[in-house]
Amino acid sequence: MPPRTYRLSGLVVRFVLLSFAAVALAVLRPAKQANARAQETRRRRSGVRRIAISLSFATLFFAGASFSAGAGDMMVQLVEGEAQTAVADQSQEAAASEESTCESTKRSDWDAEDVSQSCAEESAPDADAEPAAGDSAAAPEAEAAAPETSAPDVTAPATEPASSPEAEAPAAAALVEQTAHEVAAESGSSGRSAAPSLKTAVKTQARRAHPRSRAKGNDGAPPVLRNSTRKHSLAGKADPEVSEPYTAATIWLHRQMPDPTPASKRLTQRFANQLVFAAHRHKVDWALMLGVLRARGYRGSVPATKVGLNRLATNLVKNGARKDQWSAVLALEGRTAFADRTVALARYHRAVGLKALVRGLEWAKPMLAKRTLRDKRITIYGGGRNDLFRGKIDVRVIVLIRYLAEAHGQVTVSCLLSGHGLFSRPGVISHHIYGLAVDIAALGGVSIYGHQQPGSVTEKAVRDMLLLPAEVRPVQVISLLGLGGPSFPLANHDDHIHAGF
């Protein structure tokens, strides 16, 4: 039987009416006709007065009791209302978690019919689960018989491994149906409470049967990693490539560079033999002879004949090439620019060697790297030596280092690949990262720092780089001096010369 509900206003009205009735009974009593009898009545209480007084006290007692009971019921209702509110909140949270569990179960490899049936039972309204008053005895039997008629055979063993989703689905369905049978049989006489308990048991068993349907992170243990709620924003950090006036963003597209000496620029083996024979016969440097031919514009694989090589060697000897190569070449052509160009090409030829000019620089790269590491004229820091040993440096850089050693007698390399930053400036990847750049800190034992004025060792080194052949000439020559072409000054290059390809 549901508990009666009391209102405070109704209790107060009843209490007042009963009090008035008691007072009326006590006051409105029959008048005494005689004083003597009144005195006797005072001495001896009559039965009517006793009954009236007893009724008054009884009325007051029951009124107070009813008031106390009503107030207690109201307090109980308030407490129960708060408890029901808390239970409703918990049930809503549980329903939300079960809804998410159902969605995750739908995405798994379960059987579609079992999952849709369990989700339909969860979302069905209570009106469908509550039978009519006359059919209260037949409803539990119908609910108990429904799974039996629609459930498949769950006693057959699974043929697939238990770890696969196809094998876990029949087992989970079997456990769910078995639980439904048991709960329906136990709650056959409970009437309205059968459907909710059946649904709760089915959902609980479904979560236990399939471990993947549980929500992750609900094991009670504190999380190992916590998601950061702080917003990472680059607002306020201006990009100089875009925000600075009169500038635009640049992108450096790197590609694998080909051999700087293709077949058209390589010497033939026959011509190389004739060149060496003529130079040895007249005791002239073969590199200087080849430099004169290249400076005159002979670019082919055979720039001269055998007769032409002997005539050139004879003229160089007459002009004193054994003692002073630059003066001999100047006397040969009469132009200082031609003499500078010829001497620079001769140094380049000696730096790479005749075999490299015949077979190509890429073929000679391992040999050139070993010679550079053993060369006492070249000083390289530990990380740069490791870069050279592992083949991370382009052959053009190796040739440039050896060429400067030929021109100045000593080279100090301060940076190759290791130890350099990724960006040379915001948004532009440095050439050092690809092994296509070198920083020179000293030449001929003279530091670059403090020696970048006109006529200094820095100016001589930059001019020597600009005289190299086009295939091995740097595209970036950065110092405090700008001599035109690929050379330009930057203020942060006061202690080294940067050469990049």
Side-chain angles (χ1 to χ4, degrees), residues 453-477:
Q453 64 276 9
S456 63
V457 64
T458 302
E459 182 184 358
K460 295 178 181 178
V462 172
R463 291 187 182 278
D464 290 338
M465 294 182 192
L466 298 180
L467 292 174
L468 280 169
E471 57 268 19
V472 292
R473 185 185 305 154
V475 297
Q476 293 179 348
V477 181

Side-chain angles (χ1 to χ4, degrees), residues 76-416:
V76 170
Q77 288 177 5
L78 292 175
V79 174
E80 288 180 353
E82 295 179 356
Q84 289 177 359
T85 304
V87 171
D89 296 339
Q90 294 179 359
S91 62
Q92 289 179 359
E93 294 177 358
S97 62
E98 289 167 3
E99 223 173 350
S100 62
T101 303
C102 178
E103 292 297 331
S104 62
T105 309
K106 282 183 179 180
R107 298 188 187 97
S108 65
D109 297 328
W110 280 40
D111 186 66
E113 296 180 358
D114 296 337
V115 176
S116 61
Q117 182 178 1
S118 62
C119 292
E121 290 179 355
E122 290 177 20
S123 60
D126 295 339
D128 297 337
E130 294 181 359
D135 299 336
S136 60
E141 297 178 0
E143 292 177 356
E148 297 179 359
T149 57
S150 61
D153 186 12
V154 299
T155 58
T159 58
E160 296 183 358
S163 60
S164 63
E166 293 80 6
E168 292 177 357
L175 291 174
V176 172
E177 292 169 1
Q178 183 179 359
T179 305
H181 290 312
E182 295 176 357
V183 174
E186 293 177 358
S187 60
S189 59
S190 60
R192 294 173 55 188
S193 62
S197 61
L198 175 61
K199 291 193 298 181
T200 304
V202 169
K203 290 183 289 186
T204 304
Q205 193 65 25
R207 289 196 301 269
R208 292 178 180 176
H210 202 284
R212 290 189 298 176
S213 65
R214 300 176 183 175
K216 295 182 179 179
N218 293 334
D219 55 353
V224 179
L225 297 177
R226 297 183 181 273
N227 295 329
S228 178
T229 58
R230 187 177 63 178
K231 295 182 179 180
H232 299 278
S233 175
L234 298 178
K237 297 182 180 179
D239 186 359
E241 293 287 337
V242 180
S243 60
E244 292 294 330
Y246 308 109
T247 58
T250 59
I251 301 176
W252 172 255
L253 299 177
H254 174 69
R255 62 181 180 87
Q256 190 67 28
M257 301 183 69
D259 191 335
T261 53
S264 60
K265 294 185 178 181
R266 300 174 191 171
L267 301 176
T268 63
Q269 186 64 46
R270 182 177 179 181
F271 175 79
N273 295 335
Q274 293 175 359
L275 177 63
V276 172
F277 180 79
H280 181 71
R281 179 179 179 182
H282 296 278
K283 297 182 180 179
V284 183
D285 187 8
W286 66 268
L288 181 62
M289 294 177 60
L290 183 60
V292 172
L293 295 175
R294 294 300 192 194
R296 287 177 175 177
Y298 298 103
R299 304 297 182 186
S301 300
V302 183
T305 62
K306 185 177 181 180
V307 177
L309 288 175
N310 290 325
R311 186 184 301 114
L312 176 60
T314 301
N315 293 332
L316 289 174
V317 171
K318 289 180 180 180
N319 295 330
R322 296 174 183 174
K323 296 181 180 180
D324 190 352
Q325 294 184 354
W326 188 87
S327 299
V329 175
L330 179 62
L332 187 64
E333 291 288 338
R335 294 180 290 130
T336 56
F338 178 82
D340 293 339
R341 175 73 171 170
T342 301
V343 173
L345 291 174
R347 292 168 179 169
Y348 162 69
H349 296 151
R350 284 194 297 269
V352 299
L354 189 59
K355 288 185 179 181
L357 297 175
V358 175
R359 303 290 296 272
L361 293 183
E362 284 293 338
W363 173 87
K365 178 180 176 179
M367 177 184 64
L368 294 176
K370 292 180 180 179
R371 290 180 180 178
T372 303
L373 292 174
R374 293 195 301 262
D375 198 333
K376 296 182 179 180
R377 301 173 301 174
I378 302 174
T379 304
I380 305 176
Y381 67 108
R385 296 182 67 87
N386 186 42
D387 296 336
L388 280 172
F389 180 77
R390 299 176 63 179
K392 294 183 177 181
I393 307 303
D394 191 84
V395 67
R396 296 168 179 79
V397 176
I398 301 175
V399 170
L400 178 62
I401 295 173
R402 294 187 59 79
Y403 168 74
L404 293 176
E406 289 286 339
H408 297 271
Q410 190 273 336
V411 179
T412 300
V413 177
S414 60
C415 186
L416 286 172

